[in-house]
Amino acid sequence: MSTPSTIARTAPIAIASRKPRAIEPSIETSINNLNSRPHLSASMSSSTSGESGVNMRTRKDRPCDACRRRKSRCVINEGQTSCVLCQFHTQDCTFVQSPQPRKRKLNTEGKEESVAKRRSPDRDDRRGRLAESLSSTGATNSLIEDMANIGGPIQLKRTLGLQNDRYSQYIGPTTDFEPSLLDLSSFDPQDESLLSRGTLRKVSDLDTFLMLPDYHTHGHEHVIDDADAIENIVSPHGPALLELYFRIIHPNFPILQKTVFFEKYNRSHREFSPPILAAVYILAINWWDHSDELANLPKPDIKELERLARVTLADAMYRPKLSTVQAGLLLSQRPEGDQWAPTAQLVAIGQELGLHLDCSSWKIPPWERGLRKRLAWALYMQDKWGSLVHGRPSHIFASNWAVQPLSLNDFPDVEFDENNSDESADYERGRLLFTQMIILSQILAEVLDTFYTLQAMATVNSAGPQGTHLVLQLAKPVQLKLKDWFAGLPACLRMDSSSNIQTSNTSKLSSIGFLHLAYFATEITLHRRIIRSLSLPASTDAKPTLDPYILHICRSAAKTRLISAMDFVNRLTTSHLRSFWYFASKTNFALIGTFGSLLWATAPGREEAEWYRRRLGEYRWTLAVSCKGGASGEGGNGRLTEFAMGMLDTSTGLLKALPEKPALSRVGSESENLSRSRNRSIVEGYSGFGSFGTGASGGFGIGPPREVNYTGEEENGMRSGLVSPSTSVSSSGGSQEVYLASASAFAVRGVDEGY
């Protein structure tokens, strides 16, 4: 039989160059190194209590014949007469063969000495503590996890995307493989069929993959050396960094399988794809000071760690697996790690792995189905928020996306100590946070598709003076979805929840800030399009015919969103700022300032423009304070607001060239009052709200402008820090000040009700 060869694949974009190696290890050397790694201890065996039947008595003495040959755990469930593996392979479960004689190990002293050189007693002690920590949660090795993570390259593992020696390629409907002919192939009980080009793996009646060996791919000979180099950089602090990662990051961004990760690490770091190991360490180092064990020690060489991560990720893209997507997503969460081109590569790799498909009924381990769905939605969010922050077209389209919504069954059953109420609450809140972020990302995708595609923008521009009416009409259903999303947030994810209010325990971190910031960014993205539509394109000769009342309502609603967003940032505590923030947060902070600059630039009068200038100055001061409250050190969260300050300085700097605006002395003429009554029904039809809305709880918050009791509401605004004392209204201040105070008081009311 001919040796299977790989299918030609497009080489990934070069990310970083590999440093020249003094000695290039051969494949044989790598295999020898692989065989020298420590094996699992006897603690891997599970309890056999509860087994019944004839086999139970024999099972206590030894495994069945098939499991003995496979060197696998033999587990017989209660009430069954054959073990689970034999049932899975549809074969007889017998106990008739004699045990194979044990082979004497040779040169064990040399091996032990080699292992001792690589592992210090302190490090072994930490690995032991990790294993004890994992066992204390009640998590045990499931049979499926054993099949996915133990055994040599000959062992057939049932995972599709996490095999150690093979990678998968989805066979699409238009490739040179004809799907109708694939069923003619002879599939074995493991749903595999060997062809000259590779091994077919059928996971459902409709979906088939081609399995290819790793050893043919570029850079495979360096995998062991790269894993060792990464581990050596952080040694002996690897276990402590893992504890940080799974305590701070993983609960809020659950794209790894914690139990499997610890099991593999407790055996050897060499079981990992190098980029995923590096990515976990790189993120965890941002919270170095949050570990009592690490706080007073020097940090590892982060630059060399990042270089190795880039190099090994580029190599891994030649043999893509789920771990490749995991590593890419984690590296994108660094404060300086997000780039658009790598996101495009990750989406392409995800499609090659079939992450865009519905895997609910695939013949793969149940935990892998859940992992695939979580990873697919994380990739979806990366694409949509990357599209927003970079201003690029999205790569994922609804017409080619079949992933089902997440459910509780898609998360691991046990990842935390159920007896630890704080840890349990953190994981439950994190899962809700992840799920709600996915739903919000779908609404963002609708905003981008409705208003920011080239076709959508051309349609609005071609509508001329009716462009604003068209935008308002399209905005209504999206705004209702945002309102319902916010109203339906679980109590534990609300900013005013008792669990999210800062206490004396400042070490308690909360990541819900990035969810609310993303909500405001989505609102702002919608309102930016509305404000832009109020001015005709420069190429349009027609004169604007937009009614002043609609103009006033749209700008009032936008002002409300700006005030609410700024107040939200002002209310962030140290517990929020030092926690994990999603990669788009850096730009989302900046979008608030950009939106304020847009409203300043488009303000109809000098007084309103001056008001926005002062508010942007206050916002910059808030960002500066937040910068000091973020995580310190290189790569810390302080960079989030640093970037926003820089962008704010840039946008306000551009406004220096803005022509001086006229002073407005009257905003309430009789003709405008007539226009209000005539167009109120039009505006209400577009927005769905006929009275002042609750700003922070969603909705345009629009309605007919009305005068307010300035003594009460203006004072309330000052107490909340939302209205600058310099904007107080005097009896001779004119109608413009009345409008500003009314809009500010209205915004205060919205913020108080929503937060």
Side-chain angles (χ1 to χ4, degrees):
M1 182 178 296
S2 60
T3 303
S5 60
T6 61
I7 297 177
R9 302 177 63 248
T10 303
I13 299 174
I15 299 178
S17 60
R18 179 183 294 275
K19 284 187 175 180
R21 298 175 180 269
I23 300 177
E24 291 290 335
S26 63
I27 296 178
E28 290 78 12
T29 303
S30 298
I31 293 177
N32 291 335
N33 289 338
L34 181 63
N35 292 333
S36 67
R37 29 178 215 197
H39 297 285
L40 273 174
S41 64
S43 62
M44 284 284 294
S45 61
S46 64
S47 173
T48 59
S49 61
E51 297 173 345
S52 60
V54 178
N55 286 357
M56 184 187 72
R57 178 180 55 81
T58 311
R59 169 69 182 86
K60 289 183 177 180
D61 297 331
R62 61 184 177 88
C64 71
D65 300 332
C67 288
R68 184 189 299 278
R69 289 193 301 271
R70 283 189 294 259
K71 298 182 179 179
S72 302
R73 280 198 314 163
C74 186
V75 178
I76 302 179
N77 293 328
E78 184 176 359
Q80 300 292 323
T81 58
S82 60
C83 73
V84 181
L85 273 178
C86 288
Q87 293 179 30
F88 184 83
H89 291 290
T90 62
Q91 63 187 35
D92 295 334
C93 187
T94 60
F95 295 83
V96 296
Q97 297 179 2
S98 301
Q100 296 294 324
R102 293 177 178 265
K103 294 182 179 180
R104 177 173 297 179
K105 295 181 180 179
L106 300 177
N107 196 23
T108 55
E109 295 182 0
K111 288 187 177 181
E112 291 177 358
E113 182 180 357
S114 175
V115 172
K117 289 181 179 179
R118 290 190 291 107
R119 305 176 72 182
S120 65
D122 292 341
R123 181 174 173 186
D124 289 335
D125 182 60
R126 289 190 196 88
R127 288 185 183 271
R129 292 203 304 269
L130 272 179
E132 293 174 4
S133 173
L134 185 62
S135 62
S136 67
T137 65
T140 58
N141 261 349
S142 69
L143 172 65
I144 299 300
E145 289 167 357
D146 287 344
M147 295 173 65
N149 293 286
I150 65 174
I154 301 176
Q155 172 90 21
L156 177 64
K157 308 176 185 67
R158 297 304 299 163
T159 60
L160 176 65
L162 285 173
Q163 295 193 20
N164 286 333
D165 56 340
R166 299 190 300 176
Y167 64 97
S168 62
Q169 291 181 354
Y170 171 61
I171 299 178
T174 59
T175 65
D176 51 343
F177 277 104
E178 172 52 48
S180 302
L181 301 180
L182 294 179
D183 290 336
L184 300 178
S185 184
S186 176
F187 287 91
D188 61 19
Q190 287 75 42
D191 299 301
E192 294 192 350
S193 177
L194 183 63
L195 301 180
S196 60
R197 293 175 60 178
T199 301
L200 293 179
R201 171 76 180 273
K202 199 170 187 61
V203 295
S204 72
D205 293 337
L206 300 176
D207 302 311
T208 307
F209 288 80
L210 187 67
M211 309 297 295
L212 299 167
D214 285 350
Y215 60 81
H216 282 312
T217 60
H218 173 77
H220 179 261
E221 66 274 15
H222 303 309
V223 169
I224 298 298
D225 290 337
D226 288 336
D228 287 344
I230 291 169
E231 187 69 17
N232 289 337
I233 290 176
V234 302
S235 180
H237 308 308
L241 288 174
L242 289 189
E243 290 175 358
L244 280 176
Y245 176 87
F246 284 100
R247 173 163 59 93
I248 296 175
I249 302 168
H250 177 71
N252 306 292
F253 196 58
I255 65 170
L256 300 183
Q257 199 77 5
K258 178 181 177 182
T259 305
V260 174
F261 197 97
F262 272 144
E263 288 171 357
K264 294 173 70 173
Y265 190 81
N266 286 333
R267 291 194 294 270
S268 173
H269 63 271
R270 292 182 173 182
E271 292 197 22
F272 291 99
S273 174
I276 186 62
L277 190 64
V280 168
Y281 287 151
I282 289 171
L283 283 187
I285 287 174
N286 287 331
W287 285 270
W288 183 271
D289 294 337
H290 283 256
S291 170
D292 294 337
E293 180 181 347
L294 302 177
N296 297 321
L297 299 175
K299 293 183 180 180
D301 186 350
I302 186 68
K303 292 188 180 298
E304 177 63 13
L305 200 57
E306 290 180 342
R307 188 195 69 80
L308 283 172
R310 292 191 299 269
V311 170
T312 57
L313 181 59
D315 284 349
M317 288 181 179
Y318 288 96
R319 47 185 177 278
K321 304 177 184 181
L322 296 184
S323 59
T324 310
V325 180
Q326 290 170 328
L329 289 174
L330 291 181
L331 290 173
S332 295
Q333 305 310 310
R334 295 173 298 159
E336 305 296 335
D338 173 53
Q339 297 176 356
W340 184 237
T343 298
Q345 284 186 292
L346 289 180
V347 172
I349 290 174
Q351 292 168 345
E352 187 158 272
L353 295 171
L355 289 179
H356 61 296
L357 305 173
D358 180 10
C359 66
S360 302
S361 59
W362 285 7
K363 290 178 281 187
I364 58 177
W367 68 264
E368 188 187 0
R369 290 199 292 265
L371 176 61
R372 279 179 165 269
K373 289 177 66 176
R374 301 197 310 273
L375 198 53
W377 282 114
L379 189 62
Y380 179 94
M381 292 193 296
Q382 185 75 26
D383 176 72
K384 298 306 178 183
W385 287 99
S387 177
L388 171 71
V389 303
H390 293 290
R392 305 286 188 267
S394 170
H395 303 295
I396 295 178
F397 303 95
S399 56
N400 275 315
W401 187 258
V403 184
Q404 298 300 304
L406 288 181
S407 66
L408 290 178
N409 294 330
D410 296 318
F411 294 91
D413 291 336
V414 179
E415 282 195 318
F416 50 85
D417 185 356
E418 294 179 333
N419 296 322
N420 187 329
S421 59
D422 289 339
E423 186 180 8
S424 176
D426 287 343
Y427 271 82
E428 293 298 331
R429 182 170 56 249
R431 293 176 179 183
L432 289 172
L433 173 64
F434 188 70
T435 304
Q436 289 297 323
M437 188 66 178
I438 292 172
I439 299 173
L440 181 62
S441 301
Q442 291 176 287
I443 301 176
L444 172 68
E446 186 173 350
V447 172
L448 298 177
D449 292 342
T450 304
F451 299 103
Y452 289 96
T453 63
L454 296 178
Q455 182 178 358
M457 290 188 290
T459 300
V460 173
N461 290 339
S462 63
Q466 300 301 315
T468 299
H469 292 185
L470 176 60
V471 169
L472 290 175
Q473 187 176 15
L474 295 172
K476 176 183 175 180
V478 183
Q479 188 67 34
L480 287 173
K481 289 182 181 179
L482 277 170
K483 177 178 181 294
D484 292 340
W485 176 88
F486 187 90
L489 278 180
C492 64
L493 296 183
R494 294 187 174 275
M495 292 293 292
D496 57 359
S497 171
S498 58
S499 61
N500 297 317
I501 297 177
Q502 185 181 24
T503 64
S504 58
N505 183 15
T506 57
S507 63
K508 185 71 174 176
L509 303 181
S510 174
S511 287
I512 67 167
F514 80 72
L515 177 68
H516 289 262
L517 181 62
Y519 162 73
F520 281 114
T522 307
E523 285 272 14
I524 284 173
T525 303
L526 177 61
H527 281 273
R528 285 174 74 182
R529 191 65 189 95
I530 296 173
I531 295 300
R532 289 181 194 173
S533 71
L534 300 178
S535 302
L536 292 175
S539 59
T540 304
D541 297 330
K543 293 182 179 180
T545 59
L546 186 66
D547 188 276
Y549 175 61
I550 297 179
L551 176 66
H552 169 71
I553 290 301
C554 292
R555 291 192 62 83
S556 296
K559 187 175 187 179
T560 300
R561 308 318 302 141
L562 178 67
I563 294 175
S564 299
M566 288 181 172
D567 180 66
F568 158 75
V569 177
N570 190 50
R571 296 175 64 176
L572 291 174
T573 66
T574 302
S575 297
H576 297 124
L577 293 169
R578 289 183 176 270
S579 65
F580 167 73
W581 286 80
Y582 192 57
F583 83 95
S585 301
K586 177 180 67 174
T587 304
N588 289 345
F589 276 114
L591 288 179
I592 298 175
T594 300
F595 187 47
S597 299
L598 173 64
L599 292 174
W600 177 359
T602 56
R606 184 186 308 161
E607 295 85 353
E608 185 177 348
E610 177 63 18
W611 188 89
Y612 283 115
R613 185 192 66 80
R614 288 195 299 267
R615 288 314 305 267
L616 288 174
E618 295 170 5
Y619 181 59
R620 193 188 190 287
W621 181 84
T622 301
L623 292 175
V625 174
S626 300
C627 180
K628 297 178 181 179
S632 60
E634 184 177 2
N637 284 348
R639 291 189 180 183
L640 292 170
T641 51
E642 270 186 24
F643 177 82
M645 283 192 295
M647 286 305 303
L648 181 58
D649 292 341
T650 300
S651 59
T652 54
L654 295 173
L655 290 172
K656 293 179 180 180
L658 194 68
E660 186 176 357
K661 295 181 179 295
L664 298 182
S665 59
R666 184 173 180 82
V667 182
S669 65
E670 182 178 353
S671 60
E672 182 180 333
N673 291 331
L674 292 174
S675 173
R676 293 177 185 175
S677 60
R678 183 176 71 250
N679 289 291
R680 176 183 301 183
S681 60
I682 298 177
V683 179
E684 291 178 4
Y686 291 144
S687 67
F689 301 96
S691 60
F692 286 103
T694 57
S697 62
F700 277 120
I702 67 174
R706 61 185 178 88
E707 295 186 1
V708 294
N709 181 349
Y710 301 120
T711 303
E713 298 216 51
E714 178 81 2
E715 183 182 355
N716 184 22
M718 291 181 184
R719 280 200 308 269
S720 300
L722 297 174
V723 180
S724 173
S726 60
T727 61
S728 59
V729 180
S730 63
S731 58
S732 59
S735 298
Q736 177 63 17
E737 281 78 4
V738 171
Y739 157 66
L740 292 176
S742 176
S744 298
F746 154 51
V748 171
R749 202 163 47 248
V751 171
D752 287 344
E753 293 179 19
Y755 284 89

